[in-house]
Amino acid sequence: MQMPAAWICWRLHRYISGPVWFWCTKRSNRISVFSLYRRLPPGRLSVQRNQRAGSAVQAKSRERHRAALNGKGIREVHGMDLIIKNGTVVTPSGMFRADVGVQDGKIVEIAASISAEAKEVADAAGKLVLPGAIDGHTHLAMPFGGTISSDDYFAGTRAAACGGTTTVFDFAMQDFGESMVDTIKRRDAMCAPDAAVDYAFHVAVKDVSGGLLDTLEEAVAYGVPTFKVFMVYDFGVDDGVFYQVLKKAKSCGALIEVHAENRDIIAARTKEYLAEGKTGAWYHYLSRPEFVEAEADMRAIQWAKALQAPLYIVHLANKQGVEAVTKAQQEGYEIYAETCPQYLEFTSEVYKRPDGRNFICSPPMKGEESRQALWNAINTGVISTLATDHCPFQSYEKDWGKDDFTKVPNGCAGIENMYPYMLTAANAGKITFEKAVELCAANPARIFGCKDKGAVAIGKDADLVIYDPEKDFTITNEKMHSDCDHTIWEGVSLHGYPVATYSRGRLVYRDGEFVGERGWGKFVKRSRTN
């Protein structure tokens, strides 16, 4: 006897506990059930901090799930590559208990319980499941100060993986006379064989003469829509070039980033201190204190406002700069600000230490008032992203400036420390875990156009971190995975630490050990327009 489709569906509902979604077709008076998807029962959904936010996140996830189905609304998954079970998923909007299923490097299911078979099952009970962090600011294998930064593309991305960062942005420094696309291709040829996690580039612009300005548009079409100008250093641009680059960026959908410090004032103050025999690390800070950075921040913002062009201020470190960004954002301008963990943890007092030269970077750490202003700007949303400005040099290279701060290569390590540091801040209640994910993953993905990155969501790359909030960890250079022989983070204690990192579904870090592969990382091409 043939049963009506409605009767069969009613019987299925009775025998399968909990509400279900299913799709069926009626062929020759027979019912064919293609897929069953169990909805997360609201009563069993454990949402920390905000039940409604978690439910909303799940609803959005289900919509994306349905959108990922084919034209007939059918997707059969017989087995998965990876299931992370029993963890608490963290998104910018909430936290909820769920399993996460991965197939072919993508997140394919998020549910209260996934029963499918998998090649690998990771138990995350008592732990958080986070999106891999995106470090939007690094300088790997970068020539600077008469040497090259100590981490090449393998060492830097290896260290990133071991700190829960799964996408690394490096600055490709344009050579004079070189097109933007040629700059990208030159650095990609260096990075591709070595990268242990996925990577992308910003182009640091030096030369726009002879038609090179128009090659910004070619780079955008190639998948690199972000560029940086330096207002400092001998290779930095002058105000006229900065203006031209901003104007061009607006016309071709690019975003300009700026290292904002007043080069002329730095040069004048440095000359004064050296003439007075004031050569220690403390005078690095005094040669470029708060107002030197703030003035350049305000100048860059003013030009961006005049041109109605978007602007991204890198490594913001001063209170007046925070105030200028706040005002511009309140006026409706597209101005973003990034800061770095070193500016949140340390103050200019480090330059009085015997090893103060190891902390020399530009801009330098500032006073306590600026440090507190940065934390406040994080909580109010004025600061959009965290990044590291990772540019380490060996101790013997830092020692070149033991008696003359101008001879110290500028830069510090941090690529392995950013995510654990911010998550410890969340563990301590200084920020929320949702805010840590927003700053370190979701916002960089959105601002820089990484459409497959930055979230634990169906259809995204399976860049995932399992984080143990109870694991205590004290940073020592011996535990780090950089090639640098020291770290400014030596002795800093963290409560909570990543125990596993997955890059596109592949385990690359576990319990203190790098288990990935040189060359695994892929070049992420991007677009800032949908």
Side-chain angles (χ1 to χ4, degrees):
M1 181 177 67
Q2 294 179 341
M3 297 295 180
W7 184 88
I8 296 174
C9 292
W10 176 78
R11 296 293 296 176
L12 281 169
H13 186 271
R14 286 192 61 195
Y15 285 102
I16 300 175
S17 62
V20 296
W21 290 299
F22 56 88
W23 292 266
C24 56
T25 60
K26 188 176 181 183
R27 296 177 181 171
S28 304
N29 295 320
R30 290 180 297 173
I31 189 77
S32 174
V33 178
F34 288 103
S35 298
L36 295 173
Y37 288 88
R38 186 180 307 276
R39 185 173 64 190
L40 291 179
R44 294 172 56 194
L45 186 64
S46 174
V47 179
Q48 301 180 17
R49 294 195 180 91
N50 191 319
Q51 176 73 38
R52 290 184 179 178
S55 298
V57 169
Q58 282 299 100
K60 290 180 181 178
S61 181
R62 290 194 296 268
E63 289 303 315
R64 285 192 294 268
H65 200 163
R66 283 199 284 261
L69 304 174
N70 68 21
K72 295 182 179 179
I74 303 164
R75 180 169 62 81
E76 294 185 85
V77 178
H78 300 291
M80 297 186 187
D81 295 326
L82 167 68
I83 299 175
I84 299 176
K85 298 189 70 69
N86 307 315
T88 297
V89 173
V90 183
T91 77
S93 303
M95 300 169 63
F96 54 92
R97 291 288 300 278
D99 293 354
V100 179
V102 175
Q103 181 71 29
D104 297 327
K106 296 285 186 179
I107 298 171
V108 296
E109 188 168 359
I110 300 172
S113 180
I114 298 175
S115 58
E117 295 181 356
K119 297 174 184 175
E120 179 185 354
V121 177
D123 185 6
K127 300 178 177 65
L128 306 184
V129 180
L130 313 164
I134 298 171
D135 190 343
H137 188 155
T138 72
H139 299 280
L140 302 177
M142 177 184 173
F144 187 87
T147 185
I148 297 175
S149 58
S150 60
D151 280 347
D152 61 14
Y153 283 110
F154 177 55
T157 54
R158 176 184 62 200
C162 297
T165 291
T166 52
T167 305
V168 171
F169 276 76
D170 191 54
F171 284 98
M173 305 292 291
Q174 179 199 18
D175 283 339
F176 288 95
E178 185 178 43
S179 76
M180 307 302 165
V181 172
D182 285 344
T183 299
I184 298 161
K185 290 179 177 178
R186 173 170 54 80
R187 294 301 283 190
D188 186 33
M190 294 175 59
C191 186
D194 282 350
V197 296
D198 290 351
Y199 61 94
F201 296 106
H202 311 293
V203 177
V205 178
K206 296 181 185 178
D207 185 7
V208 297
S209 64
L212 290 175
L213 182 64
D214 292 333
T215 67
L216 267 77
E217 191 166 357
E218 296 170 9
V220 170
Y222 189 72
V224 177
T226 47
F227 304 85
K228 179 181 180 181
V229 296
F230 290 85
M231 298 172 76
V232 291
Y233 306 130
D234 56 2
F235 54 79
V237 302
D238 60 29
D239 292 353
V241 170
F242 188 4
Y243 171 85
Q244 292 179 67
V245 171
L246 272 173
K247 187 175 181 180
K248 183 65 178 180
K250 181 189 175 183
S251 72
C252 66
L255 174 66
I256 300 304
E257 306 165 26
V258 60
H259 176 149
E261 290 183 286
N262 188 307
R263 176 170 44 197
D264 292 339
I265 295 178
I266 293 169
R269 290 174 70 87
T270 298
K271 185 177 179 180
E272 290 172 6
Y273 289 129
L274 293 180
E276 295 168 1
K278 297 174 179 178
T279 60
W282 174 246
Y283 295 97
H284 170 72
Y285 161 65
L286 288 185
S287 70
R288 52 216 305 157
E290 281 80 347
F291 82 89
V292 174
E293 181 186 352
E295 184 278 333
D297 290 330
M298 291 184 277
R299 189 156 33 108
I301 290 170
Q302 187 60 34
W303 295 338
K305 288 168 62 175
L307 290 168
Q308 297 280 308
L311 182 70
Y312 181 102
I313 299 176
V314 300
H315 48 49
L316 183 65
N318 72 97
K319 181 183 178 182
Q320 285 179 286
V322 167
E323 292 169 349
V325 172
T326 303
K327 184 174 184 293
Q329 291 175 349
Q330 290 173 345
E331 292 170 345
Y333 293 99
E334 189 180 353
I335 308 293
Y336 304 102
E338 159 201 296
T339 195
C340 307
Q342 57 267 33
Y343 303 121
L344 299 173
E345 176 67 12
F346 305 109
T347 71
S348 54
E349 291 298 306
V350 296
Y351 298 112
K352 296 178 179 179
R353 290 170 40 163
D355 64 343
R357 59 190 173 279
N358 289 339
F359 292 82
I360 286 183
C361 59
S362 295
M365 289 70 159
K366 303 299 199 302
E368 178 63 15
E369 189 176 17
S370 286
R371 192 179 78 87
Q372 292 297 337
L374 294 172
W375 276 112
N376 183 62
I378 281 173
N379 278 305
T380 59
V382 170
I383 288 176
S384 301
T385 65
L386 258 287
T388 65
D389 195 13
H390 180 84
C391 188
F393 296 92
Q394 303 294 5
S395 293
Y396 75 87
E397 294 169 322
K398 289 287 192 176
D399 288 348
W400 293 342
K402 184 161 50 177
D403 300 316
D404 182 349
F405 69 88
T406 66
K407 295 180 180 177
V408 179
N410 282 215
C412 305
I415 201 168
E416 192 168 349
N417 312 116
M418 175 183 73
Y419 215 14
Y421 178 78
M422 296 308 293
L423 292 168
T424 286
N427 233 351
K430 198 160 193 173
I431 59 173
T432 65
F433 283 106
E434 293 93 331
K435 174 61 76 171
V437 163
E438 177 186 302
L439 289 163
C440 299
N443 280 356
R446 173 179 58 84
I447 293 167
F448 297 141
C450 306
K451 64 181 181 64
D452 294 326
K453 305 290 187 182
V456 182
I458 291 170
K460 297 289 187 179
D461 285 351
D463 294 344
L464 300 166
V465 175
I466 300 177
Y467 175 82
D468 184 349
E470 298 304 322
K471 182 179 177 67
D472 289 318
F473 187 91
T474 299
I475 299 173
T476 66
N477 197 60
E478 184 179 352
K479 296 176 185 175
M480 297 294 97
H481 296 81
S482 162
D483 278 350
C484 193
D485 64 359
H486 70 281
T487 175
I488 62 171
W489 296 93
E490 188 78 28
V492 173
S493 294
L494 305 175
H495 182 55
Y497 207 77
V499 295
T501 302
Y502 293 86
S503 169
R504 285 179 282 111
R506 175 175 179 166
L507 186 68
V508 292
Y509 163 81
R510 178 174 53 204
D511 296 328
E513 298 294 329
F514 174 72
V515 294
E517 177 186 356
R518 183 192 294 261
W520 164 258
K522 290 185 177 179
F523 178 22
V524 179
K525 293 191 175 184
R526 304 163 288 121
S527 172
R528 297 194 71 243
T529 58
N530 295 322

Short mmCIF file of all heavy atoms in Angstrom, two decimals, residues 166-170 172 180-181 183-189 191-193 195-203 219-226 450 452-453 461 504 519-526:
data_model
loop_
_atom_site.label_atom_id
_atom_site.label_comp_id
_atom_site.label_asym_id
_atom_site.label_seq_id
_atom_site.Cartn_x
_atom_site.Cartn_y
_atom_site.Cartn_z
N THR A 166 46.24 32.30 11.62
CA THR A 166 46.17 31.43 10.44
C THR A 166 46.25 32.19 9.12
O THR A 166 46.28 31.57 8.06
CB THR A 166 44.88 30.61 10.47
OG1 THR A 166 43.76 31.49 10.67
CG2 THR A 166 44.91 29.58 11.60
N THR A 167 46.27 33.52 9.18
CA THR A 167 46.50 34.32 7.98
C THR A 167 47.43 35.47 8.35
O THR A 167 47.18 36.17 9.34
CB THR A 167 45.19 34.90 7.41
OG1 THR A 167 44.26 33.84 7.16
CG2 THR A 167 45.45 35.64 6.10
N VAL A 168 48.48 35.64 7.56
CA VAL A 168 49.50 36.65 7.84
C VAL A 168 49.60 37.61 6.66
O VAL A 168 49.78 37.18 5.52
CB VAL A 168 50.87 35.99 8.10
CG1 VAL A 168 51.97 37.03 8.19
CG2 VAL A 168 50.82 35.14 9.37
N PHE A 169 49.47 38.90 6.94
CA PHE A 169 49.68 39.93 5.93
C PHE A 169 51.11 40.45 6.06
O PHE A 169 51.53 40.87 7.14
CB PHE A 169 48.72 41.09 6.14
CG PHE A 169 47.36 40.90 5.53
CD1 PHE A 169 46.44 40.06 6.14
CD2 PHE A 169 47.00 41.55 4.36
CE1 PHE A 169 45.17 39.88 5.60
CE2 PHE A 169 45.75 41.38 3.81
CZ PHE A 169 44.82 40.54 4.43
N ASP A 170 51.82 40.46 4.96
CA ASP A 170 53.17 41.00 4.93
C ASP A 170 53.18 42.24 4.03
O ASP A 170 52.39 42.34 3.08
CB ASP A 170 54.16 39.96 4.41
CG ASP A 170 55.60 40.40 4.60
OD1 ASP A 170 55.96 40.72 5.74
OD2 ASP A 170 56.36 40.42 3.61
N ALA A 172 54.82 44.12 1.20
CA ALA A 172 55.73 44.00 0.06
C ALA A 172 56.23 45.40 -0.29
O ALA A 172 55.45 46.26 -0.71
CB ALA A 172 55.00 43.39 -1.14
N MET A 180 53.30 47.98 -9.06
CA MET A 180 52.74 47.36 -7.85
C MET A 180 52.56 45.85 -8.02
O MET A 180 52.85 45.08 -7.10
CB MET A 180 51.40 48.02 -7.49
CG MET A 180 51.45 49.53 -7.38
SD MET A 180 52.65 50.15 -6.16
CE MET A 180 52.77 51.88 -6.65
N VAL A 181 52.11 45.43 -9.18
CA VAL A 181 51.91 43.99 -9.40
C VAL A 181 53.25 43.26 -9.43
O VAL A 181 53.38 42.15 -8.88
CB VAL A 181 51.12 43.74 -10.71
CG1 VAL A 181 51.09 42.24 -11.04
CG2 VAL A 181 49.70 44.26 -10.58
N THR A 183 55.84 44.10 -7.76
CA THR A 183 56.24 44.03 -6.35
C THR A 183 55.59 42.83 -5.68
O THR A 183 56.24 42.05 -4.96
CB THR A 183 55.82 45.32 -5.61
OG1 THR A 183 56.47 46.43 -6.22
CG2 THR A 183 56.19 45.24 -4.14
N ILE A 184 54.30 42.66 -5.91
CA ILE A 184 53.57 41.53 -5.31
C ILE A 184 54.14 40.20 -5.79
O ILE A 184 54.39 39.29 -4.99
CB ILE A 184 52.08 41.63 -5.67
CG1 ILE A 184 51.46 42.91 -5.09
CG2 ILE A 184 51.32 40.40 -5.15
CD1 ILE A 184 50.16 43.31 -5.76
N LYS A 185 54.35 40.08 -7.09
CA LYS A 185 54.85 38.82 -7.65
C LYS A 185 56.25 38.49 -7.13
O LYS A 185 56.57 37.32 -6.89
CB LYS A 185 54.84 38.89 -9.17
CG LYS A 185 53.45 38.89 -9.78
CD LYS A 185 53.51 38.97 -11.30
CE LYS A 185 52.13 38.90 -11.92
NZ LYS A 185 52.17 39.02 -13.40
N ARG A 186 57.06 39.51 -6.96
CA ARG A 186 58.43 39.29 -6.46
C ARG A 186 58.40 38.71 -5.05
O ARG A 186 59.11 37.75 -4.74
CB ARG A 186 59.20 40.62 -6.49
CG ARG A 186 60.57 40.56 -5.84
CD ARG A 186 61.38 41.82 -6.13
NE ARG A 186 60.68 43.04 -5.77
CZ ARG A 186 60.60 43.54 -4.53
NH1 ARG A 186 61.17 42.89 -3.51
NH2 ARG A 186 59.95 44.68 -4.30
N ARG A 187 57.56 39.28 -4.19
CA ARG A 187 57.49 38.79 -2.82
C ARG A 187 56.75 37.45 -2.73
O ARG A 187 57.09 36.58 -1.91
CB ARG A 187 56.82 39.82 -1.92
CG ARG A 187 57.61 41.08 -1.74
CD ARG A 187 58.99 40.86 -1.13
NE ARG A 187 58.96 40.62 0.30
CZ ARG A 187 60.04 40.59 1.07
NH1 ARG A 187 61.24 40.80 0.54
NH2 ARG A 187 59.95 40.35 2.35
N ASP A 188 55.76 37.27 -3.58
CA ASP A 188 55.04 35.99 -3.58
C ASP A 188 55.97 34.84 -3.96
O ASP A 188 55.86 33.73 -3.43
CB ASP A 188 53.85 36.07 -4.54
CG ASP A 188 52.97 34.83 -4.49
OD1 ASP A 188 52.84 34.23 -3.40
OD2 ASP A 188 52.42 34.45 -5.53
N ALA A 189 56.88 35.09 -4.87
CA ALA A 189 57.84 34.06 -5.27
C ALA A 189 58.72 33.65 -4.09
O ALA A 189 59.14 32.49 -3.99
CB ALA A 189 58.71 34.56 -6.42
N CYS A 191 57.62 33.94 -0.82
CA CYS A 191 56.76 33.44 0.25
C CYS A 191 56.14 32.07 -0.05
O CYS A 191 56.07 31.22 0.84
CB CYS A 191 55.64 34.46 0.52
SG CYS A 191 54.60 34.08 1.93
N ALA A 192 55.71 31.86 -1.28
CA ALA A 192 54.95 30.65 -1.62
C ALA A 192 55.63 29.34 -1.21
O ALA A 192 54.97 28.44 -0.69
CB ALA A 192 54.62 30.65 -3.11
N PRO A 193 56.94 29.18 -1.42
CA PRO A 193 57.56 27.90 -1.04
C PRO A 193 57.70 27.70 0.46
O PRO A 193 57.96 26.57 0.90
CB PRO A 193 58.96 27.99 -1.69
CG PRO A 193 58.91 29.14 -2.63
CD PRO A 193 57.91 30.08 -2.08
N ALA A 195 55.61 29.48 3.20
CA ALA A 195 54.55 29.85 4.13
C ALA A 195 53.88 28.62 4.74
O ALA A 195 53.45 27.71 4.03
CB ALA A 195 53.51 30.72 3.43
N ALA A 196 53.76 28.63 6.06
CA ALA A 196 53.14 27.52 6.77
C ALA A 196 51.64 27.74 7.00
O ALA A 196 50.93 26.81 7.36
CB ALA A 196 53.84 27.31 8.12
N VAL A 197 51.18 28.98 6.85
CA VAL A 197 49.75 29.30 6.89
C VAL A 197 49.47 30.24 5.72
O VAL A 197 50.38 30.69 5.03
CB VAL A 197 49.33 29.95 8.22
CG1 VAL A 197 49.54 29.00 9.40
CG2 VAL A 197 50.08 31.27 8.47
N ASP A 198 48.21 30.55 5.51
CA ASP A 198 47.84 31.40 4.40
C ASP A 198 48.37 32.82 4.60
O ASP A 198 48.58 33.27 5.73
CB ASP A 198 46.32 31.42 4.23
CG ASP A 198 45.79 30.08 3.72
OD1 ASP A 198 46.60 29.22 3.34
OD2 ASP A 198 44.55 29.90 3.72
N TYR A 199 48.55 33.51 3.49
CA TYR A 199 49.20 34.82 3.54
C TYR A 199 48.62 35.76 2.51
O TYR A 199 47.99 35.34 1.52
CB TYR A 199 50.72 34.68 3.32
CG TYR A 199 51.08 34.10 1.96
CD1 TYR A 199 51.38 34.94 0.89
CD2 TYR A 199 51.12 32.73 1.74
CE1 TYR A 199 51.69 34.42 -0.36
CE2 TYR A 199 51.44 32.19 0.50
CZ TYR A 199 51.72 33.05 -0.55
OH TYR A 199 52.02 32.54 -1.79
N ALA A 200 48.81 37.04 2.74
CA ALA A 200 48.38 38.08 1.80
C ALA A 200 49.39 39.21 1.89
O ALA A 200 50.27 39.22 2.76
CB ALA A 200 46.98 38.55 2.13
N PHE A 201 49.24 40.17 0.99
CA PHE A 201 50.18 41.29 0.95
C PHE A 201 49.45 42.63 0.96
O PHE A 201 48.36 42.78 0.42
CB PHE A 201 51.05 41.23 -0.32
CG PHE A 201 51.95 40.04 -0.41
CD1 PHE A 201 51.66 39.00 -1.27
CD2 PHE A 201 53.08 39.95 0.38
CE1 PHE A 201 52.49 37.90 -1.37
CE2 PHE A 201 53.92 38.84 0.31
CZ PHE A 201 53.63 37.82 -0.57
N HIS A 202 50.09 43.60 1.58
CA HIS A 202 49.86 45.01 1.32
C HIS A 202 51.10 45.49 0.56
O HIS A 202 52.21 45.01 0.83
CB HIS A 202 49.76 45.84 2.59
CG HIS A 202 48.84 45.30 3.65
ND1 HIS A 202 47.47 45.24 3.50
CD2 HIS A 202 49.11 44.83 4.90
CE1 HIS A 202 46.93 44.76 4.61
NE2 HIS A 202 47.90 44.50 5.47
N VAL A 203 50.95 46.44 -0.34
CA VAL A 203 52.10 47.01 -1.03
C VAL A 203 52.49 48.32 -0.35
O VAL A 203 51.65 49.21 -0.16
CB VAL A 203 51.82 47.27 -2.52
CG1 VAL A 203 53.03 47.93 -3.18
CG2 VAL A 203 51.47 45.97 -3.23
N ALA A 219 46.97 46.41 -9.40
CA ALA A 219 47.14 45.57 -8.21
C ALA A 219 45.79 45.23 -7.59
O ALA A 219 45.58 44.10 -7.11
CB ALA A 219 48.03 46.27 -7.20
N VAL A 220 44.87 46.19 -7.58
CA VAL A 220 43.53 45.92 -7.06
C VAL A 220 42.87 44.80 -7.86
O VAL A 220 42.28 43.86 -7.31
CB VAL A 220 42.67 47.19 -7.09
CG1 VAL A 220 41.21 46.87 -6.78
CG2 VAL A 220 43.20 48.23 -6.10
N ALA A 221 42.98 44.88 -9.18
CA ALA A 221 42.42 43.83 -10.05
C ALA A 221 43.11 42.49 -9.83
O ALA A 221 42.50 41.43 -10.00
CB ALA A 221 42.53 44.26 -11.52
N TYR A 222 44.37 42.52 -9.43
CA TYR A 222 45.15 41.30 -9.20
C TYR A 222 44.79 40.64 -7.87
O TYR A 222 45.13 39.49 -7.64
CB TYR A 222 46.65 41.66 -9.22
CG TYR A 222 47.59 40.49 -9.22
CD1 TYR A 222 47.73 39.67 -10.35
CD2 TYR A 222 48.34 40.20 -8.08
CE1 TYR A 222 48.61 38.60 -10.33
CE2 TYR A 222 49.22 39.13 -8.06
CZ TYR A 222 49.35 38.33 -9.19
OH TYR A 222 50.23 37.26 -9.18
N GLY A 223 44.10 41.37 -7.00
CA GLY A 223 43.69 40.80 -5.72
C GLY A 223 44.38 41.38 -4.51
O GLY A 223 44.31 40.82 -3.42
N VAL A 224 45.03 42.54 -4.70
CA VAL A 224 45.68 43.23 -3.57
C VAL A 224 45.16 44.67 -3.55
O VAL A 224 45.69 45.54 -4.24
CB VAL A 224 47.22 43.20 -3.68
CG1 VAL A 224 47.86 43.99 -2.54
CG2 VAL A 224 47.72 41.76 -3.68
N PRO A 225 44.11 44.93 -2.75
CA PRO A 225 43.50 46.26 -2.74
C PRO A 225 43.95 47.15 -1.59
O PRO A 225 43.28 48.15 -1.29
CB PRO A 225 42.01 45.92 -2.60
CG PRO A 225 42.01 44.70 -1.73
CD PRO A 225 43.28 43.93 -2.04
N THR A 226 45.07 46.81 -0.93
CA THR A 226 45.52 47.58 0.23
C THR A 226 46.97 48.00 0.05
O THR A 226 47.82 47.19 -0.35
CB THR A 226 45.36 46.76 1.52
OG1 THR A 226 45.88 45.43 1.32
CG2 THR A 226 43.90 46.64 1.92
N CYS A 450 38.92 39.73 3.07
CA CYS A 450 39.18 38.28 3.12
C CYS A 450 37.86 37.55 3.31
O CYS A 450 37.48 37.19 4.43
CB CYS A 450 40.13 37.93 4.26
SG CYS A 450 41.67 38.82 4.26
N ASP A 452 36.71 34.62 2.81
CA ASP A 452 36.67 33.24 3.29
C ASP A 452 37.27 33.09 4.68
O ASP A 452 37.40 31.96 5.18
CB ASP A 452 37.41 32.31 2.33
CG ASP A 452 36.72 32.21 0.99
OD1 ASP A 452 35.47 32.27 0.95
OD2 ASP A 452 37.42 32.07 -0.04
N LYS A 453 37.63 34.18 5.30
CA LYS A 453 38.35 34.13 6.58
C LYS A 453 37.58 34.85 7.68
O LYS A 453 36.61 35.54 7.45
CB LYS A 453 39.73 34.80 6.43
CG LYS A 453 40.61 34.25 5.30
CD LYS A 453 41.10 32.86 5.60
CE LYS A 453 42.10 32.38 4.55
NZ LYS A 453 42.54 30.99 4.81
N ASP A 461 36.61 29.25 5.34
CA ASP A 461 37.76 28.36 5.50
C ASP A 461 37.82 27.86 6.94
O ASP A 461 37.52 28.60 7.88
CB ASP A 461 39.06 29.11 5.18
CG ASP A 461 39.28 29.31 3.70
OD1 ASP A 461 38.53 28.74 2.89
OD2 ASP A 461 40.22 30.06 3.34
N ARG A 504 42.80 25.76 7.23
CA ARG A 504 41.95 25.10 6.22
C ARG A 504 41.75 23.62 6.57
O ARG A 504 41.82 22.75 5.71
CB ARG A 504 42.54 25.26 4.83
CG ARG A 504 42.33 26.66 4.25
CD ARG A 504 42.94 26.86 2.88
NE ARG A 504 44.38 27.04 2.92
CZ ARG A 504 45.27 26.17 2.48
NH1 ARG A 504 44.88 25.04 1.93
NH2 ARG A 504 46.57 26.43 2.57
N GLY A 519 55.35 25.56 3.09
CA GLY A 519 54.73 25.64 1.77
C GLY A 519 53.24 25.33 1.75
O GLY A 519 52.61 25.40 0.68
N TRP A 520 52.65 25.00 2.90
CA TRP A 520 51.22 24.70 2.95
C TRP A 520 50.38 25.95 2.67
O TRP A 520 49.32 25.88 2.05
CB TRP A 520 50.85 24.14 4.32
CG TRP A 520 49.38 24.15 4.63
CD1 TRP A 520 48.71 25.03 5.43
CD2 TRP A 520 48.39 23.25 4.12
NE1 TRP A 520 47.37 24.74 5.47
CE2 TRP A 520 47.14 23.65 4.67
CE3 TRP A 520 48.42 22.16 3.25
CZ2 TRP A 520 45.95 22.98 4.39
CZ3 TRP A 520 47.23 21.49 2.97
CH2 TRP A 520 46.03 21.90 3.53
N GLY A 521 50.84 27.10 3.08
CA GLY A 521 50.06 28.33 2.98
C GLY A 521 49.76 28.73 1.55
O GLY A 521 50.57 28.51 0.64
N LYS A 522 48.61 29.34 1.36
CA LYS A 522 48.18 29.82 0.04
C LYS A 522 48.06 31.34 0.04
O LYS A 522 47.75 31.96 1.06
CB LYS A 522 46.83 29.21 -0.34
CG LYS A 522 46.88 27.72 -0.65
CD LYS A 522 45.53 27.24 -1.14
CE LYS A 522 45.56 25.77 -1.54
NZ LYS A 522 44.23 25.29 -2.01
N PHE A 523 48.32 31.92 -1.12
CA PHE A 523 48.18 33.36 -1.33
C PHE A 523 46.70 33.71 -1.36
O PHE A 523 45.94 33.19 -2.19
CB PHE A 523 48.88 33.74 -2.62
CG PHE A 523 48.80 35.19 -3.01
CD1 PHE A 523 48.56 36.19 -2.09
CD2 PHE A 523 49.00 35.58 -4.33
CE1 PHE A 523 48.50 37.53 -2.45
CE2 PHE A 523 48.95 36.90 -4.72
CZ PHE A 523 48.70 37.87 -3.77
N VAL A 524 46.27 34.59 -0.47
CA VAL A 524 44.87 35.00 -0.40
C VAL A 524 44.67 36.26 -1.23
O VAL A 524 45.16 37.34 -0.85
CB VAL A 524 44.45 35.25 1.07
CG1 VAL A 524 42.99 35.72 1.12
CG2 VAL A 524 44.67 34.01 1.91
N LYS A 525 43.99 36.13 -2.35
CA LYS A 525 43.64 37.31 -3.14
C LYS A 525 42.31 37.85 -2.66
O LYS A 525 41.42 37.09 -2.25
CB LYS A 525 43.60 36.96 -4.63
CG LYS A 525 44.97 36.62 -5.19
CD LYS A 525 44.97 36.54 -6.71
CE LYS A 525 46.38 36.32 -7.25
NZ LYS A 525 46.42 36.34 -8.74
N ARG A 526 42.17 39.18 -2.71
CA ARG A 526 41.06 39.80 -2.02
C ARG A 526 40.39 40.88 -2.86
O ARG A 526 40.94 41.32 -3.86
CB ARG A 526 41.56 40.46 -0.72
CG ARG A 526 42.27 39.52 0.22
CD ARG A 526 43.08 40.28 1.26
NE ARG A 526 44.27 40.91 0.70
CZ ARG A 526 44.53 42.21 0.74
NH1 ARG A 526 43.68 43.04 1.32
NH2 ARG A 526 45.63 42.70 0.21
#
